[in-house]
Amino acid sequence: MKVKNSIIIAALLTFTACEDMDLVPKSQGNTAAWYTTENELEMATNEFYILGYWQEPLNSSEQWSDNTTYRLQNRNPGSNGCVLDATLNGQQYEVYTLWNQSYKLIARCNTLLENIHKATCDEKTRNRYAGEAYFCRACKYADLTFFYGDVPYMDETKTISEAESMGRMDKNEVKQKTYDDFDKAIEYLPESYSLNSTIHATKGAALAMKARYALYMHDYDIAEKAAAQCIALNQYSLYPSFSDLFKQQTKNVPEKIFVLPRSIENDVILDSWIVKNALPRNAGGYGSYNPSWDLLAAFLCTDGKPIDESPLFDPHNPFQNRDPRCAMTIVEFGTNHCGYEFNPSPAATQIMNYTTGKLQSNQDTRIVAQYTSYNGLLWKKGIDATWMDNGLKVEQDYVIMRYADLLLIYAEALIEQNKDLDVAADCINQVRARAYGVNKSETTAYPAVSAVSQSQMRYEVRIERRMEMAMENQRLQDLMRWNLAEKALNGYNYILLMDPNAVLTDVVNKGNWFWGMTPMIDEDGLADFSALFKAGLCTTGAERKFPARQMLWPIPTHDMELCPALTNNEGY
Amino acid sequence: MRTLRIKSLCRQRLAALVVLSALTIASPMWAGVITLNHANGMYILKAEKTTIKSVFKYIEAQGKYVFVYDQAVEKRLSEQVTIELQGRSMEKILADLCATASLSYTINGKQIVITSAKKAKSSGKAANDDKPRTVTGHIVDQSGEPLMGATVKIKGSSKGTISDMDGNYTIECGKDDVIEVSYMGFNTQEVKIAASGKYDITLVETSNSLEELVVIGYGMVKKKDLTGAVSAVKGEDLVARHNTQLSNALQGSLSGIMVRRNSGAPGSGASSIHVRGVTTMGDSSPLVIVDGVEGSLDNVNSNDVENITVLKDAAAASIYGAKAAAGVILVTTKRGQDVGKLSLHYTGELGLEIPTTQPSMVGVTRYLEMNNELQYNDNPSGGLFQVYTADQTKNWMRYHETNPDQYPVTDWQGLMLKSSAPRSSHNLTMTGGNKVVRSVVTLSYDDVDGLYDGRSFKRYMMRANNDFTINKWLSTSIDFSLRHAKSDNTVYDPFSDMRKMPAIYPATWEDGRLASGKSGANPYGLLTEGGYSHNSSSQFQGKGSITIKPFDGFSLQAIVSPYLNYSKGKTFKLACGYTLADDPNTFGGYFDAGSIYATNKLTESRNESWRVTSQIIANYMKSFGDHSLTLMAGYENYSTESESLSAARDQYELTGYPYLNIGPEDFKDNSGTGSEYVSNSFFGRVLYSYADRYLFQANVRHDGSSRFAKDYRWGTFPSFSAGWVMTQESFMKKITDQGYLSHLKLRASWGMLGNERIGSNYFPYMALMSFGNSFFYMADGSVVSGKTARPSVLPVEDITWETTTSTDFGLDAHFLNGRLRFTFDYYWKQTRDMLLAIQIPYTMGYNDPNTNAGKMSTKGWDLDITWNDHIADFKYHVALNLSDFKSRIDYLNNSDIISGGKVKREGVLFNEWYGYVCEGIYQTQEEVNNSARTATTVTVGDLKYRDISGPDGVPDGKISPEYDRVPLGNSLPRYQFGVQLGAEWKGFDLNMAFQGVGKQNSYLETAMVQPLRDNYGNIPSIIEGNYWSPLNSAEENASAFYPRLSSVSKSNNYATSDHWIFNGAYLRMKNLSLGYTLPKKWMDALTIEKVRVYASASDLFCISNFPKGWDPEMGVSSYPITTSLLFGIQVNF
């Protein structure tokens, strides 16, 4: 009995033996062992190119400018306020997202730089990866100082209490460190990558991004030198077709200096808000994210003059005789767009469906579809019928820097220093000639710019930027650094009369379509529609508001509350 | 049913003694020393200088037998004896004992009827002067089962008798005599005898008596011996709630248990359960133990539940150590009884689910007008008809008659939701057993439909609990349970958009084709054509145990319980869209609900998790004289592994074949991950009592977890508790004898509990690299993905257990012979080293790390009052529970956690509302000009906030989120209560349950009150006539509650502020049910034991301050809370 009991007790005890608790994560690595091989460095730097770090939230900045309208409101991707409603505070999506996405990428860069000495690979390889980290960190501090001014400067991993006790570093100091990072990146990064390796940041990208930052910071000599060095690399050239450049099927052509690809196959796609809101209603979109009338008015005529000066301009046919980029950026009335004829006129209740070859009711005029484009305009740049091919998934590249932009940066840097204006003019002409599809030397085939005065050239380069870079999320930053934001962004969005029947009777039937008169363009290239409004030929949509304080954004409330040493920008 | 329960109590007592030996009893009622030991197959009974009666009581207290004898016999039991008896069986001992006292006995099951050796029938005759009357009758319990061995005696005399096998009795009594009928476990009943004849008596069970066993961790204890704070509810009371999910049935059933819901969707359980408030920032849900091993409430069928015990304080819960900080819920399922026969029970229910209430919206014309008004407010230069023309606004409804496609008027809710949804359930239970094998087997099926097509919940559950007695020292049990639930739903969840979509957008064109909705956002089209998801989950749990009892008082039990959870999901999102109003052949566009329904995409998922719990538990129980001691020691190992897999293909050409291999090769996506976790624990308990008067208990548990680094892995959690049964003291005898106060116990406890739950992060002490993908060009223009690695979380190497220290003072009192019972507990607890994701500055670039930071404390009290009584055969009971708590943050690493309009901050209640202090609506421009504002655009008609502080600590003339938001009061409910009322009369039974919250700062969510959300949303009718408007008179505006209609000012007006806080107290009728048990005589003919029919209504009504259309428990975008009406039948064979 006793023996039997003992056996059973022993059996019961072994049956529940103490199980080992020293587990290791099944599906994750850990930092202690990381950054030791080239492969691990590669994975750590791959991280830097995740789209979110770069596009959130600046891929929407076009919507916070005078290039865009959205129905009757100022557009807000978040839900608690709009950049153009003058209600900006530290809790707004754009404000805290730009901040935390930037610092996230900075932290990834810092961790790599702190640990890279552990890597067993040769110094050249190590430097290349370090160069990527310097490059990304510099780009992010560039954004931070531009939007927030003085910011906490993190170049190493801090403890929580250290981080919480940090205040803001003077913007000029951060700027200097950022230039230093760019310089290290320029030194370490390769001009190009071999055929069988993935393309990460290059020396050219670092030079170009440095040039842009220096331009934003008004350090024109630095901008000029970096841009000149980048051009001198001879790696980049303008793509022959302006309209094709932005299409999703145009891949890494030599114009793209720094680009993050998207991939439908991998479900990395263009924000569906942009896709649906930009597509015409006839093609199943909303037609509600629209280029503004201000933008339509901004394109020069083929004689190189603004619309209120050029005899070529006809307000009834606003696309005629305009810089070709006008109709490549905004859908010209009566043309085939995404398989459908586009015509917002209330007289056009039927349009051609080019796929079926038949007429159908026109969903892009408000007399048929009440909520379609309120100003009659639709974006065209980069948008074509292929957008509908994959269930409205679009793999357009996220282009951060392209050669045309660099040429204009170079030109502007020269102009602002009032030197080599002919070189600046040449840069502008390269960009403009490409838009006309001609060689820059064919000066009769396009309105070439010639070096005249600094002020005239400044006007030219700013107009050129607006025509070239529309819908590329540069406009707000340009207005801010040109100190034109308050002027351009206080006022109204103008739209067609709300009652489509009134548009028919008072505008179309009286021969006032599209614009009843030519809007006036001021010395900064900004249009004025008040005469049109006073004549009852259009109405106002949202009121854009840009208070002076908004030249710098507020510091996110989240960090203000955690870090007592942080101060806020003026006015918040 | 009732007899079964009594027997089950006996059986549990037996189980306690024989199987678990978890308790010991030392009764003060017998003097001298009595011991009964079992050794070498022999029972040895020793009694010194005691009475036979004490010996009987001693044996009775061991729970094996109940002695029944009449008054005549009782006298003879007082003789003093000193005996030592030995025998191989108890029967032998009893025979010898009775022989000693010249008594004879008969054994009927557990009942031993003692009679005089010589028939003492004549003893009563001489007592009466008057003509003796012969009274006969039949004694039954409430279910009509005869009660054998009930004592029938004449009040005030020693004369009495005992009912026979069939419950019949005969007694002779005098004029105006009162007979007293008593039976153990039942209330004593008195009947006045007017004349001779038949007096049938129904005894009412004494429920919740002190002798009742309460399940505690790894054992059981008699209620009277409890020293910790424990609440219990019987399974039948939960079944009476008629909820599909057990968690819902617990709502309002127990004091100190906060059960919250946010929807009434088919198959949805409680959204959260908290025991005694909030103990920690993270997971504050209690540990659920089903039959001794970790489980989940909603995986248990209510019909299988014998009882549920909630261990509320540290004394009760600390045996579960590191997992018990948030309280422990113990679920015990029914087990088979040694009844010598089999019974079969069937319960069937059919019913309907009807939404309690739904929000309503303004009509079309008002929508158009208010839309224009909003635009006018934001842009006055455009005039009053900027969005819709005067003609459209005025004539929309009229134009709708002739041109519904251009002027739609859609009742989205009416179109999409049915007014009710059917539900049904069936439950079959087979139970029975003998000395060797005892089993319960149940099978149940539930089917609940949703309020729209494509939504349903079906569940099959099976459980078999089997006990085997192999021999005297070896027994075993094998249980298993199976659950398979199928949940069907549409891909598109309609509630948010359905409540938001204005009527002016078309769901269908005039000819019935699906229409565009709002530019493709057509909730109706998405609901009907957007595809489906079919999810199922299967759980299998087994549990085997072996118990050996090598010597008397000692037992050793080994348990192993494997659990397998397998779930799979299939979601087929279908491309769907609309055709143009005037042209059925022209495609208009795809439907859209944030994501576009433009492709057919199939996603499948498979998740598997596995866990094993092994335990070994040793128990030793010994009593000597008035001292009684129980020792328990155990070891437990818990390990779990899980893996998940999901795969998808996009752009299917065909939608009829929902399998991955039919999809295109190009658009494949898949992912998989896994995790594992192990814990080891040692635990022990000492229970000591002296003379049933002084009770003492100590527990300790030593836990180790794989979640922490080696040096921080182990934690030790002790607890101590004591009880003083004052009514057992001699100085209280006077009071107890009067019968007003029958039981009074004071309890005190202190203990420590641990917590380690920090979500799915199983390695918080390691700096983990998270993997992902980024995309690159190759020189040839192709795009390839690159694996990315990042350290996304800061590691905290010394992270370890958080500890909750809890102190409890309690009082149990029974008055009026136990008819009125009262329990009160006051407690406070503090959690330190709290595990929480502390907020770190964004500038660090990491996600918030989990660490031990912060302290919080909770103070509260629980009160239970019950009343049980009967008036003749009308039996009724009332139970009330009420509890309150306040949880406060004491320390939080010098930082705040602000999210969802609530704050966690040092010195402030847990999750207080956090926002601006509102000073009403700006009425004049002057007021606007002289105020601090959030932005310059804030104007007349917007909400005005108080300028509280600024960067220099004084008001700065600006309203900013950094300096002007303050805590605005508790967000958690106060004074939660539940009331149960029950009555039975002549086969009818009526039950009512109420539940509610006495006080709560509730919030008018933006989605409930904001007009034109996202610039198009519908307008809640609650704001109509009560908002500031430029079209109103100044008086109207002065009394308006809601701000002006504005898109520009929405970030000002709908920021969290005290303007939107209101008292959300509510009282809800949880359940009302009425049943009728058909008379037994009808059933006997059919050889059916019992038939009961009943009707039940759950969530019938609710009284609250919530705005019209909103149920206090309903989420703004969730499935409504539903009233269920059902009819059921219960048949026992």
Side-chain angles (χ1 to χ4, degrees), chain A residues 91-121:
Chain A
Q91 291 180 293
Q92 194 163 315
Y93 172 81
E94 294 82 0
V95 172
Y96 66 77
T97 305
L98 179 63
W99 181 274
N100 72 18
Q101 289 296 320
S102 300
Y103 278 110
K104 266 185 189 168
L105 181 48
I106 289 166
R108 309 289 178 258
C109 297
N110 290 341
T111 321
L112 181 112
L113 292 172
E114 284 166 339
N115 287 286
I116 199 163
H117 61 89
K118 296 191 290 196
T120 52
C121 49

Side-chain angles (χ1 to χ4, degrees), chain A residues 1 4-5 8-9 12-13 15-31 34-35 43-44 46-47 49-50 53 71-73 76 79-80 85-87 91 96 99-100 103-104 107-108 111 152 154 158-160 163-164 195-200 251-252 259 261 264-266 268 272 276 281 284 286 360-361 363 367-368 370-371 390-393 397 492 498-499 533 540-541 545 555 557-563 568 571-572, chain B residues 375 379 381-382 386-389 392 396 406 473 504-505 518-519 548 550 556 558 560 580 582 586 588-590 592 594 596 598-599 614-616 635 637 639 641 650-651 666-667 673-678 680 704-706 710 713-714 763 765-771 773-779 781 783-784 786-791 794 838-847 895 898 914 935 937 958 961-963 965 1015 1047-1048 1050-1051:
Chain A
M1 189 77 176
K4 198 161 78 181
N5 279 343
I8 289 176
I9 290 169
L12 293 183
L13 287 170
F15 167 72
T16 50
C18 207
E19 205 160 309
D20 187 14
M21 288 182 278
D22 294 317
L23 305 181
V24 287
K26 278 182 157 179
S27 56
Q28 283 169 298
N30 89 61
T31 37
W34 210 262
Y35 306 106
M43 282 173 73
N46 282 348
E47 169 78 20
Y49 304 92
I50 288 177
Y53 295 132
R71 297 206 171 123
L72 293 168
Q73 281 81 31
N76 61 321
S79 59
N80 51 355
D85 274 350
T87 55
Q91 291 180 293
Y96 66 77
W99 181 274
N100 72 18
Y103 278 110
K104 266 185 189 168
R108 309 289 178 258
T111 321
M154 314 283 280
K158 305 268 187 201
T159 65
I160 296 172
E164 284 178 344
L195 280 178
N196 51 4
S197 72
T198 54
I199 300 174
H200 286 210
K251 299 301 181 184
N252 62 333
V259 56
I264 294 171
E265 233 175 280
N266 293 289
V268 179
S272 78
K276 276 226 86 164
R281 289 216 159 210
Y286 296 160
Q360 71 168 61
S361 76
Q363 304 300 308
I367 206 157
V368 175
Q370 173 147 20
Y371 307 99
N390 293 289
L392 304 187
K393 288 181 182 168
D397 285 342
Y492 288 96
M498 278 309 290
D499 182 1
F533 177 66
T540 52
K545 300 189 191 83
I555 304 299
T557 305
H558 182 274
D559 281 11
M560 284 294 289
E561 284 178 329
L562 288 171
C563 310
N568 214 332
Y572 296 101
Chain B
Q375 196 57 37
N379 179 15
S381 71
Q386 293 182 56
V387 191
Y388 299 97
T389 62
Q392 278 178 324
W396 190 286
Q406 191 75 6
W473 57 269
I504 58 158
Y505 296 104
K518 177 191 173 287
S519 323
I548 59 167
L556 188 65
V560 63
L580 298 183
D582 58 353
T586 303
Y590 293 110
D592 182 353
I596 305 162
T599 56
S614 327
Q615 297 166 346
I616 183 148
Y635 161 75
N637 168 258
S639 67
E641 277 175 46
D650 201 354
Q651 306 202 14
D666 289 344
F667 303 96
T673 182
S675 68
E676 75 185 308
Y677 167 83
V678 170
N680 286 296
S705 163
S706 66
K710 218 164 189 165
R713 181 167 290 160
W714 290 93
F763 298 95
Y765 63 93
M766 285 187 195
L768 294 179
M769 300 298 290
S770 303
F771 301 130
N773 291 291
S774 59
F775 300 88
F776 299 93
Y777 271 123
M778 303 286 285
V783 176
V784 297
K787 202 89 219 127
T788 66
R790 67 165 173 275
L794 277 181
I838 52 161
Q839 291 198 342
I840 58 171
Y842 286 148
T843 51
M844 293 193 75
Y846 283 90
N847 296 342
S895 74
I898 298 165
Y914 188 71
T937 49
K958 283 190 285 272
E962 291 83 10
Y963 304 111
R965 293 188 298 167
N1015 303 321
S1047 176
V1048 170
K1050 69 185 173 188
S1051 67

Side-chain angles (χ1 to χ4, degrees), chain B residues 728-996:
Chain B
Q728 294 285 5
E729 297 283 1
S730 52
F731 63 79
M732 293 287 286
K733 197 166 179 343
K734 258 190 181 165
I735 299 166
T736 51
D737 282 354
Q738 286 167 350
Y740 294 116
L741 176 68
S742 50
H743 176 76
L744 178 66
K745 180 160 76 177
L746 300 179
R747 291 180 278 107
S749 77
W750 176 90
M752 282 159 68
L753 300 163
N755 185 30
E756 58 152 357
R757 287 178 292 181
I758 36 178
S760 57
N761 185 356
Y762 287 101
F763 298 95
Y765 63 93
M766 285 187 195
L768 294 179
M769 300 298 290
S770 303
F771 301 130
N773 291 291
S774 59
F775 300 88
F776 299 93
Y777 271 123
M778 303 286 285
D780 64 0
S782 61
V783 176
V784 297
S785 73
K787 202 89 219 127
T788 66
R790 67 165 173 275
S792 56
V793 182
L794 277 181
V796 181
E797 278 144 34
D798 59 354
I799 189 166
T800 187
W801 302 99
E802 68 177 38
T803 310
T804 299
T805 308
S806 142
T807 310
D808 183 289
F809 285 105
L811 173 99
D812 300 328
H814 292 192
F815 303 94
L816 305 171
N817 290 323
R819 280 182 294 172
L820 176 65
R821 291 193 297 272
F822 175 90
T823 298
F824 179 81
D825 278 276
Y826 176 77
Y827 62 88
W828 65 95
K829 49 187 178 179
Q830 187 179 52
T831 305
R832 63 185 160 77
D833 299 333
M834 191 153 51
L835 286 167
L836 57 102
I838 52 161
Q839 291 198 342
I840 58 171
Y842 286 148
T843 51
M844 293 193 75
Y846 283 90
N847 296 342
D848 295 344
N850 284 296
T851 182
N852 295 103
K855 279 184 195 169
M856 76 184 271
S857 54
T858 299
K859 284 179 184 165
W861 50 266
D862 302 334
L863 172 69
D864 282 278
I865 300 173
T866 58
W867 173 261
N868 275 286
D869 205 359
H870 66 98
I871 302 163
D873 50 3
F874 177 77
K875 185 198 167 197
Y876 67 98
H877 72 268
V878 182
L880 166 78
N881 68 69
L882 177 65
S883 48
D884 187 34
F885 70 87
K886 268 187 176 178
S887 295
R888 188 179 295 279
I889 309 267
D890 300 327
Y891 172 70
L892 198 60
N893 218 30
N894 300 320
S895 74
D896 292 349
I897 298 177
I898 298 165
S899 69
K902 292 171 189 163
V903 68
K904 300 181 184 88
R905 172 184 287 176
E906 190 175 315
V908 164
L909 294 179
F910 175 75
N911 258 356
E912 276 204 39
W913 292 111
Y914 188 71
Y916 299 116
V917 176
C918 181
E919 299 187 317
I921 294 173
Y922 283 115
Q923 300 291 349
T924 64
Q925 190 58 45
E926 194 194 349
E927 203 184 345
V928 173
N929 296 342
N930 294 325
S931 300
R933 288 175 286 164
T934 55
T936 50
T937 49
V938 172
T939 185
V940 177
D942 289 329
L943 294 189
K944 175 184 179 183
Y945 299 124
R946 186 181 300 157
D947 186 9
I948 289 169
S949 188
D952 305 321
V954 289
D956 59 348
K958 283 190 285 272
I959 301 293
S960 61
E962 291 83 10
Y963 304 111
D964 297 311
R965 293 188 298 167
V966 290
L968 300 170
N970 200 356
S971 68
L972 293 169
R974 305 281 310 274
Y975 311 111
Q976 299 183 80
F977 59 88
V979 181
Q980 272 86 241
L981 303 166
E984 285 173 39
W985 180 71
K986 289 193 191 291
F988 288 99
D989 58 272
L990 176 72
N991 279 290
M992 278 188 273
F994 297 89
Q995 173 265 336

Side-chain angles (χ1 to χ4, degrees), chain B residues 392-412:
Chain B
Q392 278 178 324
T393 311
K394 192 171 163 232
N395 296 312
W396 190 286
M397 293 302 285
R398 198 156 61 78
Y399 292 157
H400 170 71
E401 304 293 326
T402 51
N403 186 2
D405 288 347
Q406 191 75 6
Y407 296 91
V409 176
T410 307
D411 171 12
W412 293 100

Side-chain angles (χ1 to χ4, degrees), chain A residues 261-298:
Chain A
R262 292 190 178 95
S263 158
I264 294 171
E265 233 175 280
N266 293 289
D267 219 27
V268 179
I269 50 175
L270 184 63
D271 188 326
S272 78
W273 188 90
I274 291 177
V275 178
K276 276 226 86 164
N277 285 278
L279 278 177
R281 289 216 159 210
N282 282 321
Y286 296 160
S288 55
Y289 166 44
N290 310 127
S292 63
W293 282 14
D294 305 73
L295 179 64
L296 177 61

